[in-house]
Amino acid sequence: MANMTVNLKVWRQAGPKEKGEFRTYTVETDTDTSFLETLDILNEQLVNNHEEPIAFDHDCREGICGMCSLYINGHPHGPATGATTCQLYMRRFKDGETITVEPWRSAAFPVIKDLMVNRNAFDQIQQAGGYVSFNCGGAQDANCLPISKVNADMAMDSATCIGCGACVAACKNGSAMLFVSAKVSQFALLPQGQVERKRRARAMVKKMDELGFGNCTNTGACEAECPKCIKISNIARLNREFIKAKCSD
Amino acid sequence: MATIDTEKVKVMNPADSKIPEGPIAEKWTNYKAHQKLVNPANKRRLTVIVVGTGLAGASAASTLAEMGFNVLNFCIQDSPRRAHSIAAQGGINAAKNYQNDGDSVYRLFYDTVKGGDYRAREANVYRLAEVSNNIIDQCVAQGVPFAREYGGLLANRSFGGAQVSRTFYAKGQTGQQLLLGAYSSLNRQINLGKVKSFNRYEMHDVVMVDGRARGIIAKNLVTGKFERFSAHAVVIATGGYGNAYFLSTNAMGCNCSAAMACYRKGAYFANPSYVQIHPTCIPVHGDQQSKLTLMSESLRNDGRIWVPKDIEDAKKLQRGEIKGSDIPEERRDYYLERRYPAFGNLVPRDVASRAAKERCDKGFGVNNTGLAVFLDFSEAINRLGIDVVRQRYGNLFDMYEEITDVNPGEKGNEINGTVYYNPMMIFPAIHYTMGGIWVDYELQTSLKGLFAIGECNFSDHGANRLGASALMQGLADGYFVLPYTIQNYLSDQITVPCPGTDTPEFDEAEKKCVEAQNALLKIQGKRSVDSIHKELGHIMWEYVGMGRTKEGLTIALDKLKALRKEFETNLYVPGSAEGMNNELDKAFRLKDFITMGELVAYDALNRNESCGGHFREEYQTEEGEAKRDDENYFYVACWDYQGSDEKAPELIKEPLHYEAIKVQTRNYKS
């Protein structure tokens, strides 16, 4: 462990309609402290100086809830690959470094306050079709439905998406294709998802378009920045699913 | 000093727990056969509030909506999918016996009661084991991608406290997949208009009208406004109170404020001293740490827990002069395998945690603070190869490396032809709370129309929860129990219109919330919320943690009283009541954590025995095992609020009655 001092250049914005600006703060931390704990230290300083602390989303701090966001030095979830902001430790940065911290920037994710954005659009896309229409109580025995391990594992990889929005933040078009394709893929790969396969692809894509997300131009930034390493091949599958569904309209 | 007046202790009428007639295996069937139902046309006229969107909350909300009820569903996060159930790693138990290893509903029931150190309510646990199989069927039908064998059937693994493999899993992300399954069902109902979802809302009070729960006051965390919601019944599914200890494996937002609001309105709080300390967490590293990270119990399938045999080796480790992989096999003490040959590394969590504490107290800790033991994969890697081990636990190894900068799968040293790999360092941490709001067999609290499900009730785990049973209980309550039992209550509410929110009861409740908020903003002292919360955590861990004594608990109660005073006079909350104010929201939660901490201490002081997660150092065997006192403490301790946080709560006992299982001393040795 080594002590270190960093300058945090943080986006401050009082509300959705207010004008925002960067403000720089100096914080003493150490290499074994996480990035969010460093923000905690900064907030403690601000509170002790009777200043308004920085609002940011976070919850589980284990990289699974998808609540934390932050665009750090130009990368969603910062410089580490395959990790969320809450799993980022200060040993990734240099002593004395100035670190730029911004909220997700996308038309579909308006800023609520400081670094906190509204990701309700993701919920709305899921509500449009991200499920198997099935009522509790009517299921057959689970082992009556053998599923090939290969498909089950692939479905699991797609289902690993934590819905954080890094893909949208990383995309120059603000596209939500990686997020949507992960859910569509999970069900397309499993027998349970077959009955509503076409309806699902149509409904989720339609909702995504309605909510102001951009189009996919295959730059691959989403895959590179995804904290759960969701593959861009999911997008290829979504395109196939969508075209097949539209052709059968 | 605050003490419990034993003269005042009441004993609950056995009828109050509403346990159905008949042999244990027929109780739930009998109940369902005779309970009252609500017909489809009437379901449309009834509204239910569900607070919380974890496994219990989301599954209850979606299932009630599928049945036809109108549901209002609340969560404090930005989306229902963020609830902390999502972080459960290891798995979910069910008595499917797919592995043909002798499992059955009875055996899951028995293991759960025994694992809970004979302090759970038998009838509830049997029902839990009974519906466990339905949960797996339900989740597979939803498209939950459980791990499978090459033949396409479901895979299983073992967890602590069991000698069968009954745990279903989805990599190390089982909680995530189960929660996303429940969330998908919830989304379908939101889309159909049957569930109204309120995100970034926090419940502040339950509103009672004519002695029944009829609504809640919830704060919109974005606008800062208190809002009123009414319904025919209120269900709370708001999780446990582990964050009273500040450092825990809970998410940062996990809190017990909704449960405390119910408690202050008169809902009994049961067995608060039963707090689970999970044996395999990453040790504390510094003062700035905000939470502790769990390493899944599934690691104990292949990982072996040890400390050095020789105190000199331990001292060298503590000084950083040698590494774990420098110590050969013959100088290692695999203390769980030594003490508990039959269950070995897979003893229940309370047993494993105490054994780690015992070794560290004796000076055998392996890191610079002396508060850590090793979890070692050398034997598994040498037996199975690194690829197989990484396939099983790779994501956990990576998570460990990200936090500690040490890779547990990395080759360390070769001594006398044996290769030793870097072990993990682990230490126990607060993880789960078995205690919670008291509920009867119907999951109704002592307040009419108020129900509690999931971790926030007390009913199924006794004094200790077995691994992979939290997910089972949350989903059992939400999918298969509450949607039935709540109808027994709602059936006579069909002619009652949903109350308006412009009534004196709602006025009064909202007024109190506003007053409490103004009081917090007015203190204008010197200390931040977190600084007081950390102090609370230190008191709780030191005196109300893994080893408790009468003396320590008495000190804790005094210190907590002083801490409340400090909170009330020296807290500083920046900003105003307008708009978003996270510090203000945290202050509300902290106030409740202090009261909760006292409740844990009162209960721990009252329970003059050791059982499960509650270990009183005065009550142990010569071998250091927990010593129960079934003659005097074979009861559920229910605490009744006395109108003020300053006053000691009163104790009401619910005597336990075991019909199916013979109560005996837990034995994991043979």
Side-chain angles (χ1 to χ4, degrees):
Chain A
M1 189 189 86
N3 291 332
M4 62 194 288
T5 305
V6 290
N7 302 307
L8 294 177
K9 189 179 161 191
V10 182
W11 183 259
R12 302 300 308 260
Q13 185 173 338
K17 307 269 185 229
E18 310 289 325
K19 195 166 174 288
E21 59 170 8
F22 280 110
R23 260 178 257 164
T24 305
Y25 307 90
T26 303
V27 195
E28 284 175 18
T29 180
D30 64 68
T31 49
D32 280 356
T33 292
S34 77
F35 186 81
L36 291 186
E37 285 164 358
T38 302
L39 276 184
D40 291 341
I41 298 170
L42 172 56
N43 271 347
E44 185 83 3
Q45 277 176 31
L46 292 172
V47 171
N48 288 335
N49 295 333
H50 290 205
E51 290 175 58
E52 181 116 359
I54 299 159
F56 63 96
D57 269 325
H58 64 101
D59 201 21
C60 79
R61 298 206 175 184
E62 298 180 24
I64 194 73
C65 75
M67 188 103 173
C68 66
S69 50
L70 305 189
Y71 205 75
I72 303 164
N73 283 349
H75 294 278
H77 294 296
T81 49
T84 56
T85 294
C86 66
Q87 294 175 300
L88 182 64
Y89 281 73
M90 295 310 288
R91 68 180 81 92
R92 293 267 180 184
F93 300 96
K94 289 193 215 70
D95 190 21
E97 189 175 340
T98 296
I99 305 167
T100 308
V101 192
E102 297 169 79
W104 283 174
R105 302 215 189 256
S106 161
F109 294 159
V111 170
I112 296 172
K113 186 178 177 181
D114 297 335
L115 303 171
M116 196 181 266
V117 299
N118 182 349
R119 287 170 287 192
N120 189 251
F122 267 15
D123 284 328
Q124 290 182 53
I125 295 173
Q126 297 286 2
Q127 287 156 17
Y131 42 78
V132 176
S133 297
F134 159 83
N135 282 359
C136 180
Q140 61 178 351
D141 184 85
N143 260 355
C144 290
L145 186 71
I147 299 171
S148 94
K149 180 169 162 54
V150 176
N151 276 12
D153 287 350
M154 274 162 58
M156 177 66 207
D157 287 343
S158 301
T160 296
C161 168
I162 56 174
C164 63
C167 47
V168 177
C171 178
K172 62 175 182 161
N173 308 318
S175 169
M177 283 289 272
L178 193 66
F179 169 76
V180 176
S181 68
K183 191 47 72 178
V184 167
S185 288
Q186 178 195 340
F187 289 124
L189 286 160
L190 294 173
Q192 299 94 314
Q194 297 312 308
V195 176
E196 296 169 285
R197 193 169 173 171
K198 289 175 186 166
R199 191 166 70 105
R200 179 177 306 113
R202 275 195 296 263
M204 291 181 77
V205 170
K206 180 162 174 265
K207 183 55 82 176
M208 172 180 79
D209 291 345
E210 266 172 39
L211 291 168
F213 290 101
N215 292 316
C216 175
T217 50
N218 297 312
T219 58
C222 52
E223 181 186 67
E225 299 287 8
C226 174
K228 294 289 146 183
C229 306
I230 304 287
K231 293 198 184 88
I232 202 169
S233 53
N234 286 291
I235 296 182
R237 190 179 292 106
L238 171 62
N239 284 332
R240 269 200 314 277
E241 293 293 315
F242 183 70
I243 291 165
K244 272 199 273 184
K246 288 310 254 187
C247 289
S248 65
D249 269 355
Chain B
M1 191 208 83
T3 48
I4 304 301
D5 188 349
T6 44
E7 299 282 295
K8 279 189 183 166
V9 172
K10 288 179 243 170
V11 177
M12 199 181 281
N13 186 337
D16 291 349
S17 49
K18 296 195 201 143
I19 296 168
E21 295 295 313
I24 192 100
E26 290 166 26
K27 283 184 192 293
W28 180 230
T29 310
N30 284 347
Y31 176 88
K32 286 190 291 183
H34 299 104
Q35 72 161 119
K36 288 181 276 184
L37 295 173
V38 180
N39 86 2
N42 286 326
K43 281 180 183 143
R44 290 197 286 274
R45 305 217 295 245
L46 297 171
T47 302
V48 181
I49 284 173
V50 179
V51 186
T53 61
L55 287 178
S59 59
S62 66
T63 306
L64 288 167
E66 285 166 10
M67 287 173 158
F69 295 104
N70 305 299
V71 178
L72 308 178
N73 190 202
F74 298 81
C75 71
I76 59 171
Q77 298 89 346
D78 73 333
S79 162
R81 67 181 292 158
R82 315 274 189 226
H84 197 52
S85 303
I86 203 141
Q89 298 169 354
I92 176 165
N93 287 330
K96 284 285 195 187
N97 193 30
Y98 283 162
Q99 303 308 320
N100 193 29
D101 53 5
D103 203 6
S104 63
V105 168
Y106 184 86
R107 195 171 283 274
L108 174 54
F109 156 66
Y110 178 82
D111 286 349
T112 308
V113 169
K114 178 185 172 191
D117 217 352
Y118 304 93
R119 288 291 176 267
R121 199 192 275 148
E122 232 189 8
N124 289 52
V125 181
Y126 196 91
R127 176 178 64 191
L128 174 69
E130 206 176 335
V131 303
S132 68
N133 292 340
N134 302 99
I135 298 171
I136 303 304
D137 301 341
Q138 159 77 6
C139 295
V140 167
Q142 280 173 335
V144 170
F146 281 120
R148 287 175 183 271
E149 306 290 355
Y150 278 102
L153 302 186
L154 291 159
N156 290 110
R157 59 185 171 202
S158 306
F159 258 59
Q163 290 174 312
V164 294
S165 293
R166 62 160 76 98
T167 305
F168 295 79
Y169 62 99
K171 282 194 178 167
Q173 295 147 249
T174 318
Q176 181 199 27
Q177 293 309 314
L178 295 176
L179 185 66
L180 293 182
Y183 166 74
S184 73
S185 289
L186 187 64
N187 280 330
R188 176 170 162 246
Q189 295 305 317
I190 294 170
N191 195 39
L192 292 168
K194 291 303 289 181
V195 175
K196 272 197 195 132
S197 170
F198 297 88
N199 306 338
R200 295 195 197 265
Y201 273 75
E202 181 152 23
M203 170 176 154
H204 274 251
D205 206 358
V206 55
V207 182
M208 304 296 294
V209 180
D210 297 332
R212 290 171 191 267
R214 289 291 192 206
I216 62 168
I217 305 291
K219 186 180 173 188
N220 179 327
L221 299 179
V222 176
T223 64
K225 297 250 183 324
F226 289 106
E227 297 179 22
R228 306 171 180 196
F229 300 91
S230 65
H232 291 90
V234 176
V235 180
I236 64 161
T238 50
Y241 47 87
N243 272 348
Y245 289 77
F246 188 71
L247 283 180
S248 81
T249 65
N250 284 186
M252 302 302 286
C254 289
N255 69 78
C256 62
S257 291
M260 282 289 102
C262 299
Y263 166 66
R264 291 198 185 95
K265 277 280 156 77
Y268 301 155
F269 206 101
N271 296 337
S273 67
Y274 296 161
V275 172
Q276 178 160 83
I277 297 177
H278 196 294
T280 55
C281 301
I282 299 178
V284 178
H285 64 69
D287 295 340
Q288 300 303 339
Q289 200 162 353
S290 57
K291 76 156 275 163
L292 296 171
T293 303
L294 174 77
M295 289 283 105
S296 169
E297 182 159 316
S298 61
L299 291 168
R300 288 199 271 147
N301 270 287
D302 288 306
R304 299 175 72 196
I305 294 175
W306 66 278
V307 293
K309 270 187 190 154
D310 186 347
I311 193 86
E312 288 310 313
D313 279 344
K315 282 182 184 159
K316 282 183 198 158
L317 286 165
Q318 288 160 13
R319 289 194 297 264
E321 290 164 13
I322 54 169
K323 289 190 301 177
S325 58
D326 296 333
I327 301 176
E329 189 69 13
E330 61 276 10
R331 299 210 319 257
R332 297 176 171 198
D333 174 18
Y334 296 97
Y335 57 87
L336 288 176
E337 297 170 29
R338 169 169 60 78
R339 287 177 65 177
Y340 308 101
F343 283 69
N345 291 294
L346 282 173
V347 289
R349 291 172 177 177
D350 57 327
V351 178
S353 290
R354 269 199 302 282
K357 180 179 188 291
E358 189 272 338
R359 285 291 82 191
C360 292
D361 286 350
K362 293 260 163 70
F364 290 91
V366 298
N367 67 350
N368 57 346
T369 61
L371 295 174
V373 298
F374 285 130
L375 176 62
D376 198 292
F377 296 89
S378 300
E379 187 269 335
I381 295 171
N382 289 332
R383 173 166 48 91
L384 301 163
I386 183 68
D387 291 345
V388 173
V389 173
R390 274 206 69 86
Q391 203 181 359
R392 286 183 192 172
Y393 311 111
N395 63 333
L396 295 169
F397 284 13
D398 292 344
M399 193 196 265
Y400 184 88
E401 185 177 7
E402 197 61 52
I403 296 171
T404 63
D405 222 9
V406 172
N407 181 351
E410 198 175 66
K411 195 168 158 180
N413 211 341
E414 189 170 333
I415 309 168
N416 299 332
T418 308
V419 181
Y420 295 97
Y421 293 83
N422 284 337
M424 284 183 178
M425 280 196 256
I426 52 160
F427 198 66
I430 298 289
H431 179 56
Y432 183 89
T433 52
M434 283 72 69
I437 297 286
W438 181 88
V439 289
D440 60 21
Y441 188 76
E442 296 183 319
L443 305 181
Q444 186 163 209
T445 69
S446 53
L447 297 178
K448 268 190 188 168
L450 179 68
F451 295 77
I453 58 176
E455 186 180 352
C456 90
N457 76 25
F458 89 103
S459 74
D460 293 358
H461 305 298
N464 174 55
R465 178 177 65 73
L466 290 181
S469 284
L471 304 186
M472 173 172 69
Q473 186 226 337
L475 291 181
D477 286 0
Y479 283 134
F480 295 105
V481 180
L482 178 93
Y484 280 90
T485 58
I486 201 171
Q487 293 188 51
N488 212 29
Y489 171 78
L490 289 171
S491 62
D492 64 0
Q493 301 294 305
I494 52 177
T495 55
V496 180
C498 195
T501 54
D502 50 355
T503 63
E505 291 88 352
F506 276 93
D507 291 345
E508 178 64 21
E510 185 179 331
K511 196 173 137 228
K512 281 203 171 145
C513 293
V514 173
E515 282 171 5
Q517 177 158 284
N518 291 340
L520 291 174
L521 287 165
K522 226 165 62 189
I523 302 169
Q524 292 292 315
K526 290 198 166 58
R527 291 186 61 182
S528 69
V529 177
D530 280 359
S531 80
I532 299 179
H533 197 171
K534 281 183 186 177
E535 193 177 331
L536 170 65
H538 283 303
I539 297 170
M540 294 301 291
W541 183 247
E542 181 71 23
Y543 301 104
V544 201
M546 260 194 291
R548 303 160 174 177
T549 61
K550 183 180 178 187
E551 195 195 354
L553 291 164
T554 312
I555 295 171
L557 282 167
D558 287 343
K559 283 183 180 279
L560 291 171
K561 200 172 173 192
L563 192 68
R564 166 174 294 112
K565 193 87 199 148
E566 176 75 358
F567 176 90
E568 285 169 351
T569 56
N570 202 18
L571 176 75
Y572 173 70
V573 178
S576 71
E578 296 295 312
M580 177 179 280
N581 188 339
N582 293 328
E583 287 295 309
L584 179 57
D585 299 331
K586 275 160 58 183
F588 268 115
R589 295 170 196 167
L590 177 57
K591 188 175 171 215
D592 295 327
F593 281 136
I594 296 173
T595 305
M596 187 67 234
E598 285 181 311
L599 205 45
V600 177
Y602 278 123
D603 190 42
L605 188 59
N606 171 66
R607 194 165 279 279
N608 292 314
E609 63 164 351
S610 294
C611 58
H614 167 64
F615 191 74
R616 282 279 298 271
E617 289 176 1
E618 305 97 313
Y619 307 99
Q620 54 181 313
T621 65
E622 279 175 15
E623 292 164 306
E625 305 294 342
K627 201 162 143 193
R628 285 200 326 260
D629 176 357
D630 293 331
E631 200 170 316
N632 294 304
Y633 293 94
F634 193 48
Y635 64 78
V636 176
C638 310
W639 297 96
D640 189 17
Y641 189 67
Q642 296 302 303
S644 156
D645 286 16
E646 311 274 332
K647 285 192 194 158
E650 284 187 8
L651 175 64
I652 298 166
K653 297 175 182 175
E654 181 204 340
L656 290 165
H657 298 285
Y658 277 22
E659 300 164 21
I661 287 179
K662 188 168 163 272
V663 177
Q664 52 194 338
T665 302
R666 275 196 309 178
N667 174 12
Y668 291 102
K669 292 175 192 290
S670 55

